[in-house]
Structures are given as structure tokens and as C-alpha cells.
Amino acid sequence: MMKLNLITFASSLASRESIFTDHHELLDAINEKYEVRYIFPEELDGTMADGATMVLVGSGGVEEMVKANIDRLPPYVVLIADGLKNSLAASLEILSWMRQNDRHGRVLHGPTSFIMQGIDDCAAAHDAISQLQGKRVGVIGKPSGWLIASNVDYATMHERWGIEMVDVPLDEVVTGYEAIGDDEVQNITDEFISKAVDVKEPSRDEVVKAMRLYRSIKAIVERYRLNAFTLNCFDLIPTTHTTGCVALALLNQEGIPAGCEGDEQTLLTMLAVQAATGEMTFMANPSKILDNATHEMVFAHCTIAPAMTDRYIVRDHYESLSGVAVEGIFDPMDVTVVKCGGRGMELYFISRASLLQCTTNPNMCRTQLHLRLDEPLDYFLERSIGNHHVIVRGDHKQCLETVLRMLGANATT
């Protein structure tokens, strides 16, 4: 049985016994599904037992009480109100005050089944966010020069997400690459080629070089105990004479979110999506709008985890026409497009989408997804959160919205 902390506020005119009597329908439903620890204001000490923590608004007249204890509540305050004893009115006043004071939260109110669904969503989001605590996120090399709006404030990310950002010199990748012999990667080279439906431009020797780079980066991940990383892959091309696309593809496949071009915001989006959904992700450029009216556009990039695709082709890297890239091929399916960004990861965009087909435009990166989004494409042209966006298989809009809101982000408007 999952654990739930319910910080319970009620008017001084109400006894503790009456709280449980008055709200028995809702509390019976909660107690049936969760192991509940009821915490009253005088018992708040800044530490919480395991499990999600939410606020039960037991009556009206508690607004000042909540305000006085706001610093002892979770950063994202979930207010549960069944509407009895003026609990909804009080919750709306509290929510309004929180918004005025830059505190994030929401009210759960409606039929008992609706409130329970909201509690379940927030509890699942709490579990996902808990997975982020203590994660070590590497930035290998500095972000690419063209990414002028895609970095984050390390201190803010430690405070809000509980992660540690770790800078790693790019030279270590090169040193490791040069120390790895061709004979050390023969087996994984054969396996990668054999599982592809086709090999186009690269020779086997090129794939060998890409696998040596993969081994070098994987060693760095292990040495620095990284749970995710972003790589300034373009700066490696002149020194290694190969590309990082395969390395990123394989490490993503192994459960290590790995992003391109030193893009910190997109990498952290990938990390949050993985925690929330358990799925691999595809980091891609919004490459071309095909039809504004029907919200159709192409997203493309040169690296994708082979296991995320239905099948793949071994290609060269689009921009440099060198190295090795992955052209992922998918059958039509539902996906979710998401991006969280800003220096403090304070903004997000999410849209359900249908993958209509994979295109093969020679003037775009190798994996090309033609999507029809639910959301209007004005977002990309007027208020886009940087360049790269993240695509995940399936419809995860609701759970991702809950997770990102609880991490302190707001939807773009």
C-alpha cells in the first residue's frame, strides 16, 4: 500500500473527531488505497515520512493558518477539498494567495472519483520526482556556440530538482578514444550492423571508430558516476574524425539519458520524462512546418536509441557527411512532444501528437518524424522554449504536466 502524508488544517471551532466524521466519504476512499499519516499544524517539524505529502483542507477559516505554515509545506502544494464545511472556498483563497507569492500548487475538488484520480496522479509524480534526487548530470564539454538560450543555472537545479550538475572536460573523451583499439569493439560493431535493416554511407571502419567513441564516453559515465549527460559532439569531430551519434544512441538505450550539443535544458527534459514514464526519448530539431492549419511538422535528428525504433538504418551524420548516424524508422503511432526550459526550468510545453510517417528529406537530419500535434504551432513561432524538443512514445501528457508543475514549471502562454 502506498504511503501518503495528509497535512490537515481545520478551523479551531472543529474538533479532530469531527474532521473525520464530516469528510468520511472522501477519507474512507483515501484510506482504502493509501497508508495515511495525518499531520496537524502543531506537528509540522520540517521533516516528512516517506510518501507524497498533500494538504487536506478540512474547513473554512484556515487561510491564515496555511499562510503561517507555508514554509513548512512542500514546494508544490496540493490542496484537497471535498467542498464540505467551506473547504473549497478556503482552498481557492489559499491558492490565490500562493500564486501572488510565487508558490505553486493546485486544488483537487470534484466527485470523490475525480479527487482520487488527482491524488493518484500527484502521488505518481512525487515518486517520479523522488527519482531525480541525487542524480549526477554531466555536461561533457561546453554547450555548442549556437545554443544561446539552452543552459541552466546549476544552483537552481540543485535546489529545485535535487540534482548535481557536473562539468567534464571534452579532452577526457578524446584521450579515452585514442586509447581504445579497434579490436576491442569488434563484437559490438558486428551486433550494431547486423541489427540494422540497411547500411548506407558508412564503411565498417567508420562504425568501428564510432564504437570506440561510445566506449570512451561510457567509461566517463562510469568514472564520474553520471546518471545522464549532454555532449558537445560537434567539437569532437575534428579530433576524433567521427561523430557521437551512435554513442548517444546506445547509452540512451542503456537507460542513460544522453543529449546532443551540450543542450542542458533538453537533457533535463529527457531525464524528467524518463523518470515520469520509464520510456526512452528522442531529442530532435523542429525542422519544418508542413501545414499550420492541421498542426503538421517534421522533427529530425541524427541519433536515436535503436530499441526505441521499429527498425533502423546506419547512415552518416547529416551536417558533416561523416561518421555514423542512426536513421530510425517507425510505424504510425501516438507520441508526446515535450520541452521544459528556462534557466531554472520554469517553463514547459506539452502536446499529444500522431506520428503519420517517417520522411527521407536529404536536407534534414537522418531520423525524420512527420507529426500532427494537438496543440497549435503558434507556440514554435512565437514562444518556443529553445530549439530542441523531446519526443516519447505514447500519450503521457497528463503525467508529464503533473510532474513538471510539481517541479515548479508553468505552461507557456
Side-chain angles (χ1 to χ4, degrees), residues 24 65 131 147 150 188 197-198 205 210 221 249 252 293 302 321 349 366:
H24 71 88
M65 200 183 309
Q131 295 178 39
L147 294 180
S150 296
I188 57 174
V197 297
D198 194 9
D205 288 344
V221 167
N252 270 309
C302 279
L321 297 179
F349 167 83
R366 300 312 186 190

Side-chain angles (χ1 to χ4, degrees), residues 186-199 204 207 211 306 311-314:
Q186 298 297 331
N187 290 340
I188 57 174
T189 298
D190 291 339
E191 181 181 6
F192 179 71
I193 292 173
S194 67
K195 290 183 177 179
V197 297
D198 194 9
V199 177
R204 191 179 190 284
V207 180
M211 289 300 177
R311 49 204 175 277
Y312 69 92
I313 300 171
V314 179

Side-chain angles (χ1 to χ4, degrees), residues 250-262:
L250 295 181
L251 286 161
N252 270 309
Q253 184 166 284
E254 294 169 15
I256 305 292
C260 315
E261 303 168 37

Side-chain angles (χ1 to χ4, degrees), residues 4-310:
L4 176 65
N5 302 309
L6 273 187
I7 303 174
T8 306
F9 291 90
S11 166
S12 59
L13 300 176
S15 66
R16 289 192 180 181
E17 292 74 18
S18 68
I19 295 172
F20 297 101
T21 301
D22 294 339
H23 305 284
H24 71 88
E25 179 183 346
L26 174 60
L27 295 182
D28 286 350
I30 296 174
N31 286 317
E32 186 176 336
K33 189 164 188 179
Y34 291 89
E35 180 184 330
V36 182
R37 178 191 178 204
Y38 293 92
I39 303 167
F40 292 88
E42 62 272 19
E43 298 169 335
L44 287 170
D45 59 5
T47 60
M48 289 294 164
D50 293 340
T53 299
M54 304 180 198
V55 172
L56 175 65
V57 181
S59 71
V62 301
E63 293 87 345
E64 285 286 349
M65 200 183 309
V66 174
K67 178 181 176 181
N69 285 281
I70 194 67
D71 290 336
R72 293 190 285 177
L73 302 183
Y76 186 90
V77 182
V78 179
L79 301 164
I80 302 172
D82 61 7
L84 302 176
K85 299 294 183 179
N86 286 325
S87 59
L88 177 60
S91 297
L92 298 181
E93 185 72 13
I94 293 165
L95 183 64
S96 178
W97 176 83
M98 289 197 307
R99 288 169 61 88
Q100 292 172 6
N101 288 273
D102 198 29
R103 290 299 299 256
H104 295 267
R106 64 169 297 187
V107 174
L108 294 180
H109 171 72
T112 299
S113 59
F114 181 84
I115 295 176
M116 288 302 300
Q117 183 60 59
I119 292 173
D120 292 345
D121 290 345
C122 292
H126 171 270
D127 289 346
I129 292 169
S130 297
Q131 295 178 39
L132 300 177
Q133 300 298 307
K135 295 290 188 188
R136 290 172 57 84
V137 178
V139 180
I140 304 178
K142 298 299 182 183
S144 295
W146 51 86
L147 294 180
I148 59 176
S150 296
N151 58 336
V152 298
D153 182 80
Y154 287 12
T156 300
M157 296 318 302
H158 180 72
E159 178 184 351
R160 290 187 183 174
W161 287 36
I163 63 175
E164 182 181 356
M165 303 292 293
V166 181
D167 287 322
V168 179
L170 199 62
D171 289 349
E172 291 193 26
V173 178
V174 179
T175 300
Y177 170 80
E178 292 173 344
I180 296 169
D182 292 356
D183 58 319
E184 298 179 59
V185 296
Q186 298 297 331
N187 290 340
I188 57 174
T189 298
D190 291 339
E191 181 181 6
F192 179 71
I193 292 173
S194 67
K195 290 183 177 179
V197 297
D198 194 9
V199 177
K200 292 195 173 176
E201 300 86 359
S203 65
R204 191 179 190 284
D205 288 344
E206 288 295 331
V207 180
V208 166
K209 288 194 292 184
M211 289 300 177
R212 287 170 54 203
L213 186 58
Y214 154 71
R215 279 285 177 86
S216 173
I217 295 171
K218 185 172 183 176
I220 285 174
V221 167
E222 294 170 352
R223 185 184 314 139
Y224 284 88
R225 296 175 288 111
L226 302 179
N227 304 107
F229 71 93
T230 183
L231 173 72
N232 185 337
C233 38
F234 277 87
D235 282 5
L236 283 173
I237 296 174
T239 51
T240 63
H241 306 291
T242 189
T243 57
C245 307
V246 170
L248 300 182
L250 295 181
L251 286 161
N252 270 309
Q253 184 166 284
E254 294 169 15
I256 305 292
C260 315
E261 303 168 37
D263 185 337
E264 298 163 3
Q265 294 176 17
T266 305
L267 172 66
L268 294 179
T269 303
M270 296 169 74
L271 183 63
V273 172
Q274 184 195 65
T277 69
E279 299 285 344
M280 291 174 283
T281 57
F282 173 44
M283 169 183 174
N285 296 320
S287 297
K288 184 176 178 62
I289 291 178
L290 302 174
D291 192 324
N292 297 69
T294 59
H295 312 164
E296 293 181 39
M297 64 186 300
V298 175
F299 291 80
H301 233 211
C302 279
T303 180
I304 188 167
M308 186 179 172
T309 71
D310 292 311

Side-chain angles (χ1 to χ4, degrees), residues 3 12 152 160 165 257 275 284 288 327 336 339 342-343 352 363 366 377 385 394 401 412:
K3 296 180 179 180
S12 59
V152 298
R160 290 187 183 174
M165 303 292 293
K288 184 176 178 62
E327 179 181 341
T336 307
K339 177 65 179 287
R343 290 271 294 168
R352 297 182 179 92
N363 295 311
R366 300 312 186 190
L377 303 186
I385 306 171
E401 280 190 326
T412 57

